């Protein structure tokens, strides 16, 4: 019986000795590294508009109104605002055309970038557009509209409409 016990003790000693060797071979350590972190902010703009609604036109006097373009662009991003000619037949950015849905009558009107109505607002960059620089906040830009007097000879009493494309380039 002694020999069996001594055999078991010997086997146990080998297992303990093996565990001891394992522990010393895999000692803990630390290493460190850095993660390069980058980000890129791209220029971006959004735009919202209010309607440009003229008051009732009698023909005897000029009729004026305004609309607002609310533009939000990335801080320091340059932008250009352009207004298309509209959907009226024969319209240009110098003379836009309001049309009637029920008759062939039209009313000519203009859109301007200034309250004095001297700068027609169009879509040729650097010529008749409006430039600005974003600040990350909403910036309101006024569109000035005008219907000239004395256009009643060819008009019928009805509602007139047009749709003008607003484009922001940034």
């Amino acid at each position: 019986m002694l020999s069996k016990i001594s055999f078991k003790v010997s086997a146990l000693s080998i297992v303990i000795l093996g565990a001891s060797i394992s522990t010393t071979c895999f000692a803990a350590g630390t290493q460190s590294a850095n993660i390069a972190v980058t980000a890129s902010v791209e220029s971006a703009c959004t735009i919202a508009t209010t309607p440009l609604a003229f008051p009732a036109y009698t023909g005897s006097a000029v009729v004026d109104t305004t609309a607002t373009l609310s533009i939000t662009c990335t801080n320091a991003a340059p932008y250009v605002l352009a207004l298309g000619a509209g959907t009226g037949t024969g319209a240009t950015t110098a003379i836009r055309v309001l049309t009637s849905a029920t008759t062939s009558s039209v009313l000519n009107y203009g859109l301007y970038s200034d309250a004095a109505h001297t700068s027609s607002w169009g879509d040729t960059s650097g010529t008749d557009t409006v430039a600005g620089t974003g600040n990350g906040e909403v910036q309101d830009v006024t569109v000035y509209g005008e219907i000239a007097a004395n256009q009643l000879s060819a008009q019928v009493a009805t509602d007139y409409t047009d749709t003008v494309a607003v484009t922001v380039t940034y």
Side-chain angles (χ1 to χ4, degrees), residues 45-102:
C45 293
T46 59
I47 191 163
T49 64
T50 62
L52 187 126
F54 287 103
Y57 180 72
T58 64
S60 60
V62 171
V63 176
D64 296 326
T65 193
T66 62
T68 301
L69 307 179
S70 297
I71 183 159
T72 306
C73 290
T74 307
N75 191 29
Y79 63 85
V80 175
L81 294 168
L83 300 181
T87 57
T89 302
T92 67
T93 57
I95 300 174
R96 290 176 170 88
V97 180
L98 288 159
T99 58
S100 164
T102 58

